[in-house]
Short mmCIF file of all heavy atoms in Angstrom, two decimals:
data_model
loop_
_atom_site.label_atom_id
_atom_site.label_comp_id
_atom_site.label_asym_id
_atom_site.label_seq_id
_atom_site.Cartn_x
_atom_site.Cartn_y
_atom_site.Cartn_z
N GLN J 35 -21.17 66.06 -92.99
CA GLN J 35 -22.27 67.06 -93.02
C GLN J 35 -23.54 66.40 -93.39
O GLN J 35 -23.60 65.66 -94.41
CB GLN J 35 -21.90 68.15 -93.97
CG GLN J 35 -20.69 68.87 -93.63
CD GLN J 35 -20.29 69.94 -94.65
OE1 GLN J 35 -20.78 69.96 -95.73
NE2 GLN J 35 -19.26 70.73 -94.33
N GLN J 36 -24.62 66.60 -92.66
CA GLN J 36 -25.87 66.04 -92.98
C GLN J 36 -26.57 66.83 -94.03
O GLN J 36 -26.62 68.06 -94.04
CB GLN J 36 -26.70 65.99 -91.75
CG GLN J 36 -27.99 65.20 -91.99
CD GLN J 36 -28.70 64.75 -90.67
OE1 GLN J 36 -28.28 65.14 -89.66
NE2 GLN J 36 -29.71 63.92 -90.84
N GLN J 37 -27.11 66.07 -95.01
CA GLN J 37 -27.82 66.75 -96.12
C GLN J 37 -29.25 66.70 -95.78
O GLN J 37 -29.70 66.05 -94.88
CB GLN J 37 -27.56 65.87 -97.48
CG GLN J 37 -26.07 65.90 -97.82
CD GLN J 37 -25.60 67.32 -98.17
OE1 GLN J 37 -26.14 67.98 -98.96
NE2 GLN J 37 -24.51 67.68 -97.46
N GLY J 38 -30.08 67.34 -96.57
CA GLY J 38 -31.57 67.51 -96.31
C GLY J 38 -32.33 66.13 -96.28
O GLY J 38 -33.25 66.01 -95.47
N ASN J 39 -31.82 65.21 -97.01
CA ASN J 39 -32.56 63.93 -97.06
C ASN J 39 -32.08 63.01 -95.95
O ASN J 39 -32.45 61.81 -95.88
CB ASN J 39 -32.39 63.23 -98.44
CG ASN J 39 -30.95 63.03 -98.73
OD1 ASN J 39 -30.00 63.25 -97.91
ND2 ASN J 39 -30.75 62.39 -99.87
N GLY J 40 -31.15 63.44 -95.09
CA GLY J 40 -30.72 62.58 -93.97
C GLY J 40 -29.38 61.92 -94.25
O GLY J 40 -28.80 61.26 -93.36
N ALA J 41 -28.77 62.09 -95.53
CA ALA J 41 -27.63 61.44 -95.85
C ALA J 41 -26.41 62.24 -95.17
O ALA J 41 -26.51 63.47 -95.01
CB ALA J 41 -27.42 61.35 -97.35
N LEU J 42 -25.34 61.52 -94.87
CA LEU J 42 -24.17 62.24 -94.37
C LEU J 42 -23.11 62.16 -95.40
O LEU J 42 -22.94 61.15 -96.10
CB LEU J 42 -23.63 61.41 -93.16
CG LEU J 42 -24.55 61.36 -91.94
CD1 LEU J 42 -23.97 60.55 -90.80
CD2 LEU J 42 -24.79 62.81 -91.37
N VAL J 43 -22.56 63.33 -95.77
CA VAL J 43 -21.53 63.46 -96.76
C VAL J 43 -20.30 64.00 -96.21
O VAL J 43 -20.27 64.90 -95.43
CB VAL J 43 -22.01 64.58 -97.82
CG1 VAL J 43 -21.02 64.81 -98.83
CG2 VAL J 43 -23.42 64.16 -98.40
N GLN J 44 -19.19 63.32 -96.59
CA GLN J 44 -17.83 63.69 -96.05
C GLN J 44 -17.04 64.11 -97.25
O GLN J 44 -16.85 63.34 -98.13
CB GLN J 44 -17.28 62.51 -95.28
CG GLN J 44 -15.84 62.80 -94.76
CD GLN J 44 -15.21 61.67 -94.06
OE1 GLN J 44 -15.67 60.56 -94.18
NE2 GLN J 44 -14.28 61.92 -93.27
N LYS J 45 -16.51 65.26 -97.22
CA LYS J 45 -15.54 65.77 -98.16
C LYS J 45 -14.18 65.51 -97.61
O LYS J 45 -13.82 65.79 -96.49
CB LYS J 45 -15.68 67.26 -98.42
CG LYS J 45 -17.09 67.67 -98.89
CD LYS J 45 -17.34 67.22 -100.32
CE LYS J 45 -18.67 67.73 -100.68
NZ LYS J 45 -19.09 67.17 -102.00
N THR J 46 -13.36 64.73 -98.32
CA THR J 46 -12.07 64.39 -97.83
C THR J 46 -10.97 64.60 -98.96
O THR J 46 -11.21 64.91 -100.04
CB THR J 46 -12.03 62.82 -97.56
OG1 THR J 46 -12.11 62.15 -98.73
CG2 THR J 46 -13.21 62.40 -96.66
N ASP J 47 -9.69 64.47 -98.48
CA ASP J 47 -8.64 64.48 -99.42
C ASP J 47 -7.64 63.45 -99.04
O ASP J 47 -6.48 63.49 -99.13
CB ASP J 47 -7.94 65.86 -99.40
CG ASP J 47 -7.37 66.21 -98.04
OD1 ASP J 47 -7.60 65.40 -97.02
OD2 ASP J 47 -6.64 67.17 -97.89
N ARG J 48 -8.29 62.27 -98.62
CA ARG J 48 -7.47 61.06 -98.39
C ARG J 48 -6.92 60.40 -99.61
O ARG J 48 -7.64 60.24 -100.56
CB ARG J 48 -8.33 60.10 -97.53
CG ARG J 48 -7.68 58.92 -96.90
CD ARG J 48 -8.64 58.15 -96.15
NE ARG J 48 -9.31 57.15 -97.02
CZ ARG J 48 -9.79 55.99 -96.59
NH1 ARG J 48 -9.88 55.81 -95.37
NH2 ARG J 48 -10.26 55.12 -97.46
N THR J 49 -5.59 60.09 -99.59
CA THR J 49 -5.03 59.44 -100.79
C THR J 49 -4.60 57.98 -100.46
O THR J 49 -4.01 57.71 -99.44
CB THR J 49 -3.83 60.22 -101.26
OG1 THR J 49 -4.25 61.59 -101.50
CG2 THR J 49 -3.15 59.69 -102.48
N VAL J 50 -4.87 57.13 -101.39
CA VAL J 50 -4.56 55.65 -101.25
C VAL J 50 -4.07 55.22 -102.62
O VAL J 50 -4.61 55.60 -103.63
CB VAL J 50 -5.79 54.85 -100.80
CG1 VAL J 50 -5.55 53.38 -100.78
CG2 VAL J 50 -6.28 55.31 -99.46
N CYS J 51 -3.18 54.21 -102.62
CA CYS J 51 -2.73 53.58 -103.87
C CYS J 51 -3.69 52.47 -104.13
O CYS J 51 -3.67 51.40 -103.49
CB CYS J 51 -1.25 53.10 -103.71
SG CYS J 51 -0.57 52.72 -105.27
N MET J 52 -4.64 52.71 -105.07
CA MET J 52 -5.69 51.75 -105.34
C MET J 52 -5.09 50.54 -106.08
O MET J 52 -4.41 50.72 -107.09
CB MET J 52 -6.82 52.42 -106.16
CG MET J 52 -7.65 53.31 -105.32
SD MET J 52 -8.49 52.40 -104.05
CE MET J 52 -9.37 53.73 -103.29
N THR J 53 -5.49 49.40 -105.71
CA THR J 53 -5.00 48.15 -106.25
C THR J 53 -5.45 47.97 -107.65
O THR J 53 -6.45 48.39 -108.12
CB THR J 53 -5.38 46.97 -105.35
OG1 THR J 53 -4.97 45.76 -105.91
CG2 THR J 53 -6.88 46.90 -105.18
N ALA J 54 -4.57 47.21 -108.44
CA ALA J 54 -4.81 46.91 -109.75
C ALA J 54 -6.15 46.07 -109.94
O ALA J 54 -6.85 46.16 -110.96
CB ALA J 54 -3.63 46.14 -110.40
N ASP J 55 -6.53 45.38 -108.87
CA ASP J 55 -7.82 44.58 -108.90
C ASP J 55 -8.97 45.53 -109.08
O ASP J 55 -9.99 45.12 -109.69
CB ASP J 55 -7.99 43.80 -107.63
CG ASP J 55 -7.01 42.74 -107.45
OD1 ASP J 55 -6.35 42.23 -108.44
OD2 ASP J 55 -6.72 42.22 -106.29
N LEU J 56 -8.91 46.78 -108.55
CA LEU J 56 -9.97 47.69 -108.76
C LEU J 56 -9.92 48.53 -110.05
O LEU J 56 -10.93 48.88 -110.55
CB LEU J 56 -10.02 48.66 -107.57
CG LEU J 56 -10.50 48.01 -106.23
CD1 LEU J 56 -10.24 49.00 -105.09
CD2 LEU J 56 -11.97 47.72 -106.31
N THR J 57 -8.67 48.79 -110.46
CA THR J 57 -8.56 49.73 -111.68
C THR J 57 -8.44 49.02 -112.97
O THR J 57 -8.63 49.53 -114.01
CB THR J 57 -7.35 50.62 -111.45
OG1 THR J 57 -6.17 49.87 -111.37
CG2 THR J 57 -7.54 51.44 -110.14
N GLY J 58 -7.96 47.74 -112.95
CA GLY J 58 -7.69 47.04 -114.18
C GLY J 58 -6.30 47.37 -114.80
O GLY J 58 -6.01 46.88 -115.85
N LEU J 59 -5.50 48.16 -114.12
CA LEU J 59 -4.19 48.53 -114.61
C LEU J 59 -3.12 47.61 -114.10
O LEU J 59 -3.47 46.66 -113.30
CB LEU J 59 -3.91 49.96 -114.10
CG LEU J 59 -4.88 51.09 -114.70
CD1 LEU J 59 -4.57 52.40 -113.97
CD2 LEU J 59 -4.73 51.18 -116.16
N LYS J 60 -1.92 47.72 -114.54
CA LYS J 60 -0.80 46.78 -114.16
C LYS J 60 -0.32 46.88 -112.73
O LYS J 60 0.37 46.00 -112.21
CB LYS J 60 0.31 46.80 -115.18
CG LYS J 60 -0.08 46.37 -116.57
CD LYS J 60 1.13 46.41 -117.51
CE LYS J 60 0.61 46.02 -118.87
NZ LYS J 60 1.72 46.05 -119.89
N GLN J 61 -0.50 48.05 -112.15
CA GLN J 61 -0.07 48.32 -110.78
C GLN J 61 -1.01 49.30 -110.06
O GLN J 61 -1.91 49.87 -110.75
CB GLN J 61 1.36 48.77 -110.82
CG GLN J 61 1.53 50.24 -111.39
CD GLN J 61 3.04 50.62 -111.47
OE1 GLN J 61 3.75 49.82 -111.98
NE2 GLN J 61 3.24 51.78 -111.01
N CYS J 62 -0.86 49.53 -108.75
CA CYS J 62 -1.61 50.39 -108.12
C CYS J 62 -1.43 51.86 -108.53
O CYS J 62 -0.38 52.15 -109.07
CB CYS J 62 -1.43 50.28 -106.54
SG CYS J 62 0.06 50.95 -105.88
N VAL J 63 -2.47 52.63 -108.33
CA VAL J 63 -2.48 54.06 -108.73
C VAL J 63 -2.86 54.93 -107.59
O VAL J 63 -3.89 54.58 -106.90
CB VAL J 63 -3.41 54.32 -109.96
CG1 VAL J 63 -3.40 55.80 -110.29
CG2 VAL J 63 -2.90 53.51 -111.23
N ASN J 64 -2.17 56.01 -107.30
CA ASN J 64 -2.59 56.89 -106.19
C ASN J 64 -3.79 57.67 -106.61
O ASN J 64 -3.90 58.26 -107.66
CB ASN J 64 -1.40 57.91 -105.90
CG ASN J 64 -0.31 57.27 -105.16
OD1 ASN J 64 -0.44 56.38 -104.38
ND2 ASN J 64 0.88 57.81 -105.44
N MET J 65 -4.80 57.46 -105.72
CA MET J 65 -6.16 58.15 -105.91
C MET J 65 -6.54 58.85 -104.63
O MET J 65 -6.22 58.43 -103.55
CB MET J 65 -7.15 57.09 -106.33
CG MET J 65 -6.82 56.48 -107.70
SD MET J 65 -8.12 55.30 -108.20
CE MET J 65 -9.33 56.44 -108.83
N THR J 66 -7.23 59.94 -104.81
CA THR J 66 -7.77 60.77 -103.69
C THR J 66 -9.29 60.62 -103.58
O THR J 66 -9.99 60.69 -104.54
CB THR J 66 -7.35 62.20 -103.91
OG1 THR J 66 -6.03 62.31 -104.01
CG2 THR J 66 -7.82 63.06 -102.77
N GLN J 67 -9.72 60.33 -102.37
CA GLN J 67 -11.13 60.20 -102.08
C GLN J 67 -11.70 61.62 -102.13
O GLN J 67 -11.39 62.47 -101.34
CB GLN J 67 -11.37 59.55 -100.76
CG GLN J 67 -12.93 59.25 -100.52
CD GLN J 67 -13.07 58.55 -99.22
OE1 GLN J 67 -12.40 58.81 -98.21
NE2 GLN J 67 -14.10 57.73 -99.14
N VAL J 68 -12.66 61.91 -103.04
CA VAL J 68 -13.21 63.21 -103.18
C VAL J 68 -14.60 63.24 -102.58
O VAL J 68 -15.10 64.38 -102.36
CB VAL J 68 -13.28 63.69 -104.65
CG1 VAL J 68 -11.81 63.81 -105.24
CG2 VAL J 68 -14.07 62.71 -105.55
N ASN J 69 -15.25 62.14 -102.31
CA ASN J 69 -16.67 62.17 -101.81
C ASN J 69 -16.89 60.93 -101.12
O ASN J 69 -16.47 59.78 -101.56
CB ASN J 69 -17.63 62.42 -102.86
CG ASN J 69 -18.88 63.15 -102.40
OD1 ASN J 69 -19.04 63.33 -101.19
ND2 ASN J 69 -19.74 63.41 -103.29
N TYR J 70 -17.62 60.98 -100.00
CA TYR J 70 -18.15 59.83 -99.30
C TYR J 70 -19.48 60.09 -98.74
O TYR J 70 -19.64 61.09 -98.02
CB TYR J 70 -17.14 59.42 -98.14
CG TYR J 70 -17.56 58.15 -97.31
CD1 TYR J 70 -17.50 56.90 -97.90
CD2 TYR J 70 -17.98 58.33 -96.03
CE1 TYR J 70 -18.01 55.82 -97.17
CE2 TYR J 70 -18.40 57.32 -95.28
CZ TYR J 70 -18.30 56.01 -95.88
OH TYR J 70 -18.74 54.88 -95.13
N VAL J 71 -20.45 59.20 -99.08
CA VAL J 71 -21.82 59.54 -98.69
C VAL J 71 -22.35 58.24 -97.96
O VAL J 71 -22.17 57.19 -98.53
CB VAL J 71 -22.69 59.79 -99.90
CG1 VAL J 71 -24.17 60.03 -99.42
CG2 VAL J 71 -22.24 61.03 -100.63
N VAL J 72 -23.04 58.41 -96.85
CA VAL J 72 -23.72 57.37 -96.08
C VAL J 72 -25.20 57.81 -95.97
O VAL J 72 -25.50 58.87 -95.45
CB VAL J 72 -23.12 57.04 -94.67
CG1 VAL J 72 -23.93 55.93 -93.98
CG2 VAL J 72 -21.61 56.76 -94.79
N THR J 73 -26.14 56.95 -96.46
CA THR J 73 -27.56 57.31 -96.42
C THR J 73 -28.18 56.64 -95.09
O THR J 73 -27.57 55.69 -94.57
CB THR J 73 -28.32 56.73 -97.66
OG1 THR J 73 -28.24 55.36 -97.63
CG2 THR J 73 -27.76 57.38 -98.86
N PRO J 74 -29.31 57.07 -94.70
CA PRO J 74 -29.97 56.56 -93.53
C PRO J 74 -30.20 55.00 -93.65
O PRO J 74 -30.31 54.32 -92.72
CB PRO J 74 -31.23 57.32 -93.38
CG PRO J 74 -30.96 58.64 -94.01
CD PRO J 74 -30.11 58.30 -95.09
N SER J 75 -30.48 54.57 -94.89
CA SER J 75 -30.68 53.15 -95.12
C SER J 75 -29.44 52.30 -95.07
O SER J 75 -29.53 51.09 -95.12
CB SER J 75 -31.36 52.94 -96.48
OG SER J 75 -30.45 53.35 -97.51
N GLY J 76 -28.30 52.92 -94.93
CA GLY J 76 -27.05 52.20 -94.82
C GLY J 76 -26.16 52.08 -96.06
O GLY J 76 -25.16 51.48 -96.13
N ASN J 77 -26.76 52.63 -97.20
CA ASN J 77 -25.93 52.64 -98.44
C ASN J 77 -24.79 53.58 -98.25
O ASN J 77 -24.86 54.68 -97.62
CB ASN J 77 -26.89 53.14 -99.57
CG ASN J 77 -27.94 52.16 -99.98
OD1 ASN J 77 -27.93 51.01 -99.47
ND2 ASN J 77 -28.95 52.59 -100.70
N GLN J 78 -23.67 53.15 -98.88
CA GLN J 78 -22.41 54.00 -98.80
C GLN J 78 -21.87 54.11 -100.19
O GLN J 78 -21.86 53.14 -101.00
CB GLN J 78 -21.34 53.28 -98.01
CG GLN J 78 -21.76 53.09 -96.50
CD GLN J 78 -20.75 52.24 -95.72
OE1 GLN J 78 -19.64 52.14 -96.14
NE2 GLN J 78 -21.22 51.60 -94.63
N THR J 79 -21.44 55.27 -100.56
CA THR J 79 -20.80 55.52 -101.86
C THR J 79 -19.54 56.28 -101.63
O THR J 79 -19.55 57.34 -100.92
CB THR J 79 -21.71 56.31 -102.82
OG1 THR J 79 -22.91 55.60 -103.03
CG2 THR J 79 -21.02 56.52 -104.19
N SER J 80 -18.43 55.74 -102.13
CA SER J 80 -17.07 56.42 -102.04
C SER J 80 -16.58 56.65 -103.49
O SER J 80 -16.58 55.75 -104.31
CB SER J 80 -16.16 55.44 -101.30
OG SER J 80 -14.92 56.08 -101.10
#
Side-chain angles (χ1 to χ4, degrees):
Q35 297 176 350
Q36 189 163 6
Q37 299 298 305
N39 61 1
L42 296 175
V43 177
Q44 180 180 16
K45 302 290 184 185
T46 70
D47 60 354
R48 190 175 90 157
T49 301
V50 173
C51 197
M52 287 297 177
T53 177
D55 293 340
L56 286 170
T57 63
L59 299 171
K60 293 181 182 181
Q61 67 186 48
C62 73
V63 175
N64 285 329
M65 297 182 77
T66 301
Q67 186 179 34
V68 295
N69 205 356
Y70 179 69
V71 178
V72 180
T73 66
S75 64
N77 293 345
Q78 300 174 21
T79 302
S80 179

